[in-house]
Amino acid sequence: MDTVLAPLYFLVSWIMIGWHWLFADLLGIGHDGLNWTLSIIGLVVVIRVLLIPLFVRQIKSQRKMQLLQPQLRELQKKYKGDRERLQQETMKLYKNTGTNPFASCLPILLQAPFFFALFRVLDGIANEHPRGAFESQVSLFESARGAEVFGALLSDSFLATDVIQTRIIAMVMVAGMVSSQFITQRQIMRKNMPKESLEGPFAQQQKILLYVLPLIFLFTGVYFPLGTVLYWLTSNIWTMGQQLFVIRRMPAPGSEAEKAQQRRQAEKARRKGLTVAEPEEAPKVEPGQQNGEVEQTRQQPKKTSRAARKKKRK
């Protein structure tokens, strides 16, 4: 495993060392624990900035998946007893609409190797086994090994120490990590998903993950070094900020966030004395009409008397 992840060990450790140099040597911060804490936060900033294009792609994919839910439910009803045909039609729908159901997972999947690499680097620091750039940077390795945050070693975990202070800080950070993840996902489901997307199997899966994933991280977080928990907590806070920006500025069509945005825009227009145009009502499409075309009502001829018809011909 170390051989496979060796390039990431060097990347993660060099980014941390670069931030440490910035805070310690350039800015003159004399507290090593604070320097290494800020270095881990800096590592999050670098990785999340690099992942912004994928985050934009994730948002677009989520929007498409939300808008496709009514059509997916219709396919499930139509091919209820034919799983193979259902899968074929579903993939055909994804292809025709340019939707990739796995694109929304890309940022998390790409973060996972960095998270594990940081875990291994910090675990090596705790167990006097330098990895990555720390193999050649002995003084920095010793500095990181003794780095503390609020009196707790960044390389310690809840289960790896008997120090009460370290355990308290670990549980507070794990609780913050889990809570931030739960709040972010709940905000998305409550405010930035159309009503139609809150029904069906996809919505049920989202609700299950809303409660299951925080529980998983709650029980596994006690194994992570404090530095790794700090990384994940900072990453969750970054995600929360991104989602709040998206919910407010780029809400999903048909969601509560979009209605709130429309109300804000209307209120802003009224304050400026502008006339707010009411949205035109979409024409009602009757069954049997295709491509949104509205069939014009045929005007029936009026009945006239024979004398009136003769008069008209004259």
Side-chain angles (χ1 to χ4, degrees):
M1 184 62 70
D2 282 351
T3 304
V4 174
L5 291 176
L8 283 181
Y9 293 163
F10 277 96
L11 180 60
V12 165
S13 55
W14 272 121
I15 292 175
M16 289 175 61
I17 290 172
W19 282 109
H20 183 272
W21 171 83
L22 174 67
F23 296 122
D25 297 338
L26 202 60
L27 299 181
I29 299 176
H31 193 285
D32 253 0
L34 179 59
N35 286 332
W36 288 113
T37 299
L38 293 175
S39 298
I40 293 174
I41 295 174
L43 174 65
V44 176
V45 172
V46 171
I47 293 174
R48 294 309 298 264
V49 167
L50 293 175
L51 290 178
I52 285 177
L54 285 178
F55 174 75
V56 174
R57 186 177 176 184
Q58 177 190 28
I59 294 298
K60 291 180 179 179
S61 177
Q62 287 176 342
R63 296 276 173 84
K64 288 182 180 180
M65 286 296 297
Q66 290 168 1
L67 296 175
L68 284 181
Q69 290 312 301
Q71 298 179 60
L72 289 172
R73 285 197 296 273
E74 288 299 321
L75 289 177
Q76 289 164 0
K77 291 178 182 178
K78 186 175 181 180
Y79 302 107
K80 188 176 181 180
D82 191 346
R83 291 189 77 134
E84 184 177 352
R85 184 66 187 279
L86 174 61
Q87 186 176 7
Q88 291 174 353
E89 293 296 325
T90 302
M91 297 307 295
K92 183 179 178 181
L93 178 63
Y94 288 153
K95 183 178 180 181
N96 291 340
T97 56
T99 304
N100 183 359
F102 303 106
S104 59
C105 303
L106 280 176
I108 295 177
L109 292 177
L110 288 179
Q111 278 192 87
F114 290 97
F115 178 77
F116 190 70
L118 178 63
F119 170 81
R120 294 290 290 165
V121 168
L122 292 176
D123 181 70
I125 292 173
N127 294 289
E128 300 185 22
H129 184 183
R131 292 186 172 94
F134 286 112
E135 293 178 1
S136 58
Q137 303 291 327
V138 179
S139 60
L140 287 173
F141 175 76
E142 293 299 328
S143 171
R145 192 165 180 269
E148 295 181 350
V149 52
F150 301 115
L153 290 173
L154 286 171
S155 55
D156 266 350
S157 67
F158 180 87
L159 296 179
T161 182
D162 294 328
V163 180
I164 299 299
Q165 187 174 357
T166 301
R167 290 193 165 188
I168 292 174
I169 292 173
M171 287 311 301
V172 170
M173 292 176 68
V174 170
M177 177 183 72
V178 171
S179 300
S180 57
Q181 184 174 9
F182 177 82
I183 292 170
T184 301
Q185 188 61 29
R186 192 165 183 265
Q187 284 286 96
I188 295 171
M189 296 182 66
R190 286 187 60 189
K191 294 185 177 181
N192 207 36
M193 290 182 70
K195 187 177 179 181
E196 296 80 7
S197 300
L198 298 175
E199 302 172 357
F202 179 77
Q204 292 300 321
Q205 292 174 6
Q206 292 289 95
K207 290 178 182 178
I208 291 172
L209 290 176
L210 174 65
Y211 294 98
V212 171
L213 284 180
L215 287 176
I216 292 174
F217 285 111
L218 181 63
F219 288 107
T220 57
V222 295
Y223 294 93
F224 299 150
L226 292 185
T228 311
V229 179
L230 174 64
Y231 172 92
W232 204 249
L233 172 60
T234 308
S235 184
N236 284 353
I237 293 173
W238 179 289
T239 302
M240 187 185 298
Q242 276 187 332
Q243 291 295 351
L244 287 174
F245 176 84
V246 169
I247 289 172
R248 185 172 179 83
R249 298 298 181 92
M250 298 179 290
S255 64
E256 289 297 321
E258 185 187 47
K259 295 176 183 177
Q261 184 190 51
Q262 291 172 350
R263 288 193 294 268
R264 289 194 303 271
Q265 290 174 345
E267 181 62 29
K268 185 177 180 180
R270 277 193 291 269
R271 286 199 301 267
K272 291 183 177 180
L274 301 176
T275 303
V276 182
E278 295 292 333
E280 295 183 3
E281 186 177 353
K284 186 177 179 181
V285 180
E286 300 293 338
Q289 296 175 344
Q290 296 180 352
N291 300 325
E293 296 177 357
V294 183
E295 188 177 321
Q296 296 182 351
T297 306
R298 184 180 177 182
Q299 187 175 3
Q300 298 294 332
K302 296 180 180 179
K303 292 184 178 181
T304 57
S305 63
R306 183 178 297 179
R309 290 197 297 271
K310 286 183 179 180
K311 187 178 179 181
K312 187 177 180 180
R313 284 196 295 269
K314 290 179 182 179

